[in-house]
Amino acid sequence: MEDEFRQRVRDWMAAHLTGEFAALAGTGGPGREHEHVELRARWERVLGEAGWIGLGWPAPHGGGASIAEQVAFHEEYARAGGPGRLSHIGEHLLAPTLVAHGTDAQRRRFLPPIAAATELWCQGYSEPEAGSDLANVQTRAELAGGRWHVTGQKVWTSLAHVADWCFVLARTTPGSTRKEGLSYLLVPMDQPGVTVRPIVQLTGTSEFNEVFFDDAVTDADLVVGAPGDGWRIATSTLAHERGVATLGQQMQFARELDAVVERARATGAFADPVVADRIADAWAGLQGLRHHALRTLRNDDPDPAAASVAKLLWAGWHQRLGELAMAVEGAGATLVDAAPYDLTDAQRLFLFTRADTIYGGADEIQRNIVASHVLGSR
């Protein structure tokens, strides 16, 4: 059955990543999120029409696909060169959170447009003083006149410039500190009280943004869980962040490694035993990432620290791959053309992966999480 499903995905991708969508193959990945945004949005809607969005959501909300089928979809999507996903945050972060913690009305309102890719989402967690230390959130919200009034700033908000909605972690209990008094609000982006400012990255592109809420509003019933229970809901969302889609991410890693190997042959760098050893180490590390992900996904009693272990593993691995890509290119890898500084694939990979050990929870925070679960709080 899994082989049949995998072949169905493969055939569908071959039939649909053609025509106007052929230009999307291999685009929109890390450091390239600016590419073909409007065309990728149309591609998302084609995916939705075919039922590929929400594949892993439980029935009756989604496709109810098995873990093996979800793995097959993400691997075949990446193998075919499917473009970077614009609906990822809604599909893989918010939707499972609503299935687990939302009201029936919230699920009826938001799951269908996520599945159809007619509404895109961003995540309002990190702030200038609350990055990896998420419990230090200072954005506040007050319930008045039947609506939540939100004021504050979020930062590193991926895809905020194209999102229709944002799930926002805000402090709703005056005087509360740390994990207490937070609420998980669903806030529309298209309103006068929301300002989005792109942040230019080392790669010269702007995949993430800073978002300012200045008395932005949302309806009173658009709080997921009870008011003040936002920390529990927010951590539930984070648990979904490193789910089955990581297998597709690893297929993208494999393509990047293949490109490095091809360049090593072309430049003669493979003849250097040190470079050859680093390539072998990268290949072995990638196999380890895959087996760890599969073991975690198929564990009926999941280790709460497994997601942090996975983040530590792939972030360091991917960063080392960027360094290897530059080593394979040699001294010329340090040169760029004049403005606008069009980067090579190796340069883009190297520069973008500098952030891998920071975003999504810095390595230091991930190690603290692992230690607290393994050793207990001390």
Side-chain angles (χ1 to χ4, degrees):
M1 290 294 292
E2 179 186 342
D3 290 341
E4 293 177 7
F5 182 87
R6 185 178 290 274
Q7 188 61 50
R8 182 157 67 91
V9 177
R10 193 174 296 167
D11 292 344
W12 189 91
M13 291 295 294
H16 288 81
L17 200 58
T18 58
E20 66 168 339
F21 295 130
L24 295 182
T27 67
R32 303 175 64 179
E33 295 85 353
H34 61 290
E35 296 175 327
H36 304 296
V37 173
E38 292 184 4
L39 186 58
R40 283 162 55 207
R42 294 204 295 275
W43 168 255
E44 291 287 341
R45 293 192 286 272
V46 171
L47 288 173
E49 290 170 1
W52 296 123
I53 299 177
L55 194 65
W57 304 349
H61 307 293
S66 67
I67 289 294
E69 289 172 333
Q70 294 175 63
V71 168
F73 172 78
H74 288 289
E75 289 187 338
E76 293 305 322
Y77 182 91
R79 182 176 285 115
R85 298 290 304 280
L86 293 175
S87 65
H88 168 82
I89 294 173
E91 178 183 6
H92 295 291
L93 277 70
L94 178 65
T97 303
L98 290 179
V99 169
H101 305 290
T103 65
D104 287 341
Q106 289 169 351
R107 288 189 283 265
R108 287 194 301 270
R109 166 62 184 85
F110 292 111
L111 293 183
I114 292 174
T118 54
E119 289 181 348
L120 301 177
W121 285 79
C122 60
Q123 179 181 28
Y125 277 17
S126 295
E127 299 181 2
E129 299 299 327
S132 294
D133 183 18
L134 187 59
N136 197 33
V137 159
Q138 298 302 310
T139 294
R140 64 187 187 277
E142 177 184 359
L143 188 59
R147 296 198 293 182
W148 292 101
H149 293 253
V150 184
T151 299
Q153 179 186 359
K154 298 294 180 177
V155 74
W156 306 327
T157 312
S158 297
L159 302 177
H161 56 297
V162 298
D164 303 290
W165 287 82
C166 182
F167 49 95
V168 177
L169 190 62
R171 196 164 296 283
T172 54
T173 303
S176 63
T177 60
R178 305 301 297 165
K179 302 176 184 179
E180 305 301 323
L182 299 172
S183 296
Y184 190 107
L185 306 176
L186 309 179
V187 180
M189 295 290 285
D190 185 13
Q191 59 172 301
V194 177
T195 302
V196 178
R197 296 178 183 169
I199 298 173
V200 179
Q201 302 157 211
L202 281 174
T203 52
T205 60
S206 300
E207 175 265 342
F208 51 67
N209 312 264
E210 54 183 348
V211 181
F212 297 88
F213 298 97
D214 183 12
D215 197 32
V217 297
T218 193
D219 293 342
D221 60 350
L222 295 186
V223 54
V224 181
D229 195 26
W231 182 260
R232 182 176 68 91
I233 308 301
T235 54
S236 173
T237 299
L238 292 174
H240 294 294
E241 186 173 17
R242 297 176 188 125
V244 70
T246 58
L247 273 299
Q249 176 193 53
Q250 289 169 24
M251 285 300 301
Q252 294 169 355
F253 288 172
R255 290 211 315 270
E256 290 173 343
L257 176 57
D258 287 345
V260 171
V261 171
E262 184 177 340
R263 284 297 295 162
R265 292 195 173 105
T267 62
F270 227 137
D272 184 337
V274 174
V275 171
D277 184 67
R278 290 173 67 180
I279 290 173
D281 183 67
W283 181 89
L286 186 58
Q287 310 316 304
L289 292 178
R290 174 177 169 77
H291 288 294
H292 174 78
L294 290 173
R295 181 180 60 190
T296 301
L297 291 169
R298 290 169 176 162
N299 190 350
D300 293 331
D301 185 20
D303 177 358
S308 292
V309 171
K311 174 60 167 58
L312 285 166
L313 289 174
W314 74 252
W317 181 91
H318 201 213
Q319 206 165 76
R320 291 190 296 275
L321 182 66
E323 295 164 358
L324 175 59
M326 294 289 278
V328 163
E329 294 294 333
T334 61
L335 301 176
V336 294
D337 292 332
Y341 306 110
D342 190 23
L343 302 174
T344 66
D345 288 342
Q347 290 168 336
R348 184 179 295 108
L349 177 63
F350 172 75
L351 291 174
F352 190 87
T353 55
R354 295 299 90 195
D356 282 352
T357 52
I358 301 173
Y359 73 77
D363 275 13
E364 293 81 358
I365 299 299
Q366 303 302 335
R367 292 189 180 98
N368 286 342
I369 293 171
V370 173
S372 66
H373 283 292
V374 175
L375 304 176
S377 299
R378 296 184 184 274

